[in-house]
């Protein structure tokens, strides 16, 4: 399923592509990248964003868990329910 959703995007996407893929604004896209919720490689000021990182963020790969953001905007490693 994930392959068909983003089939028209290249293997390495831009911030503009991430915005279009997730239907979010520029600030939200940079927030996800800076927090580590979407895995990237940083070369100088440029973000190298593998398409698979966006798919993993959404939890569309088998075995991948979607990233969870806490109120501070930082990505959480795991989510534990409070009792």
């Amino acid at each position: 399923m994930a392959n068909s959703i983003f089939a028209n995007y290249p293997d390495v996407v831009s911030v503009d592509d991430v915005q279009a893929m997730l239907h979010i604004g520029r600030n939200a896209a940079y927030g996800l990248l800076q927090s580590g919720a979407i895995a990237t490689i940083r070369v100088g000021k440029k973000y190298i964003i593998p398409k698979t990182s966006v798919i993993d963020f959404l939890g569309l790969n088998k075995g991948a868990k979607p990233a969870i953001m806490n109120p501070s905007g930082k990505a959480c490693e795991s989510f534990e329910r409070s009792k």
Side-chain angles (χ1 to χ4, degrees):
M1 178 167 128
N3 292 337
S4 63
I5 293 174
F6 299 128
N8 56 331
Y9 289 96
D11 290 338
V12 176
V13 296
S14 67
V15 176
D16 290 336
D17 291 333
V18 172
Q19 288 179 249
M21 293 165 89
L22 300 178
H23 302 280
I24 59 175
R26 191 164 201 75
N27 289 339
Y30 276 108
L32 291 173
L33 302 178
Q34 291 168 351
S35 71
I38 296 177
T40 65
I41 299 167
R42 191 86 190 257
V43 179
K45 293 183 178 183
K46 182 177 173 70
Y47 283 101
I48 307 297
I49 310 161
K51 177 170 62 174
T52 56
S53 294
V54 178
I55 293 168
D56 289 345
F57 169 74
L58 294 174
L60 297 176
N61 279 340
K62 288 187 177 182
K65 294 181 180 178
I68 298 172
M69 302 296 288
N70 66 28
S72 69
K74 299 290 183 187
C76 299
E77 288 295 320
S78 63
F79 178 74
E80 295 179 312
R81 276 189 138 178
S82 57
K83 294 180 181 182

